[in-house]
Amino acid sequence: MIRKELCKINSQKEIAVDIYELSVTGELVSQISSPGQFVHIRVSNGSDPLLRRPISISSYDKEQQTMTMIYRKEGKGTAMLAEKGPGDVIDILGPLGNGFPVEEVSIGETALLVGGGIGIPPLYELSNQLVEKGIKVIHVLGFQTEEAVFYEKEFFINGETYVTTVDGSYGRKGFVTDVIKDLRFDCIYTCGPTPMLKAIEQGYADKKVFLSLEERMGCGIGACFACVCHRADDPTGVSYKKVCSDGPVFRAGEVLI
Ligand SMILES: Cc1cc2nc3c(=O)[nH]c(=O)nc-3n(C[C@H](O)[C@H](O)[C@H](O)COP(=O)(O)OP(=O)(O)OC[C@H]3O[C@@H](n4cnc5c(N)ncnc54)[C@H](O)[C@@H]3O)c2cc1C
Ligand code: FES
């Protein structure tokens, strides 16, 4: 069930340049059903900005009713969010959308988790849940540059972890796809920039692939049509899916990206 709640901030810290880790407490945590779901955050107490900002849940603890989000300070909304601190409350709507299907991999199989930039956060809870299920996980995390790198150690605790940077300042120089081609795995879960998702979808048609998409959003709950994308199985291009309520996670080939 989706709830709208004033959640208390437990902590907020900058974990890489312009990358913030925000932990909050709220009853809505008990409603989270899968890794990869997101929340819609009202960043101001007034009407500017009017729209909430969608941010993925990067980890959660149902017993403690806490959840963590990791976001990049991008524009006006996330800059306002970054100014908040412990004890402040924020208006959160969630949990929203359908996350990654953990049940698609079985024991004995290997799951490859591929994240680019701010697409990496929802993969962390996914990694935790797969490991808890006894699945072998491999992570490939792509960043622009060394100062943007976060959560390498956290992922490493769960399994083999490769880091790439576009400028070669840390890890392997290049893109996540340069690393993936040498790995063996059964299933891919991925979230990140559209060109990366396209390359993975096209390059691994023989595997189970699940992609988490990002679209500009209005309501976040399937009511406003701001986030529609075309279904891949309709050549007329008139059928669509809503990223907020049908996604954000889709099976490869389900929608046009
Ligand atoms: C399902 C989903 C999950 C996301 N999870 C994360 C996350 O875990 N961490 C993170 O850092 N970012 C995440 N994003 C992107 C994040 O929502 C945007 O970076 C943020 O809305 C930018 O707001 P702003 O006011 O700072 O920027 P501005 O550029 O000032 O925003 C202007 C408008 O554009 C929208 N917008 C801008 N960039 C994006 C974007 N990439 N995707 C969707 N809408 C955008 C804003 O919501 C706002 O309505 C996610 C987006 C979606 C759709
Ligand atoms: S954001 Fe309103 S329908 Fe998806």
Side-chain angles (χ1 to χ4, degrees), residues 217-220 222-227 242 244:
M217 289 188 179
C219 66
C224 76
F225 294 77
C227 66
K242 294 172 184 168
C244 69

Side-chain angles (χ1 to χ4, degrees), residues 28-249:
L28 61 80
V29 174
S30 60
Q31 303 298 318
I32 300 172
S33 56
S34 57
Q37 287 188 292
F38 66 101
V39 291
H40 225 185
I41 303 180
R42 191 167 166 212
V43 293
S44 110
N45 297 331
S47 57
D48 181 29
L50 191 61
L51 292 177
R52 291 170 180 269
R53 294 324 194 223
I55 302 289
S56 305
I57 299 162
S58 65
S59 60
Y60 58 88
D61 180 334
K62 286 197 178 189
E63 241 171 63
Q64 301 292 322
Q65 296 197 324
T66 57
M67 64 178 171
T68 301
M69 283 81 69
I70 297 170
Y71 65 93
R72 183 165 61 211
K73 191 163 78 176
E74 256 319 305
K76 188 173 183 176
T78 44
M80 288 174 84
L81 187 58
E83 279 167 16
K84 299 186 189 295
D88 289 345
V89 288
I90 39 174
D91 179 335
I92 299 184
L93 180 72
L96 302 177
N98 295 299
F100 292 106
V102 177
E103 67 286 353
E104 286 284 342
V105 268
S106 313
I107 292 180
E109 291 187 317
T110 300
L112 179 67
L113 279 54
V114 186
I118 53 159
I120 292 169
L123 299 179
Y124 184 54
E125 178 65 35
L126 174 66
S127 173
N128 290 342
Q129 291 196 16
L130 289 170
V131 168
E132 209 166 284
K133 224 184 121 184
I135 305 292
K136 182 182 174 196
V137 289
I138 305 177
H139 315 104
V140 183
L141 313 176
F143 301 90
Q144 285 296 325
T145 186
E146 180 175 16
E147 60 183 23
V149 175
F150 63 91
Y151 266 44
E152 181 189 8
K153 277 194 206 118
E154 284 81 350
F155 279 99
F156 183 73
I157 289 168
N158 284 350
E160 221 170 297
T161 300
Y162 301 88
V163 171
T164 64
T165 51
V166 176
D167 65 3
S169 53
Y170 190 81
R172 196 187 292 192
K173 183 176 180 1
F175 295 103
V176 290
T177 40
D178 301 328
V179 174
I180 302 172
K181 59 181 172 36
D182 300 322
L183 300 173
R184 286 181 177 276
F185 49 86
D186 302 286
C187 174
I188 308 181
Y189 296 99
T190 182
C191 183
T194 306
M196 184 194 96
L197 299 183
K198 271 190 183 158
I200 291 172
E201 184 176 50
Q202 286 162 9
Y204 297 93
D206 57 325
K207 306 273 187 208
K208 280 182 281 189
V209 179
F210 298 93
L211 316 138
S212 183
L213 307 189
E214 265 185 29
E215 272 297 336
R216 301 222 158 199
M217 289 188 179
C219 66
I221 53 168
C224 76
F225 294 77
C227 66
V228 294
C229 57
H230 293 288
R231 281 173 66 142
D233 61 358
D234 177 13
T236 65
V238 290
S239 323
Y240 57 81
K241 295 240 176 193
K242 294 172 184 168
V243 173
C244 69
S245 51
D246 295 318
V249 176

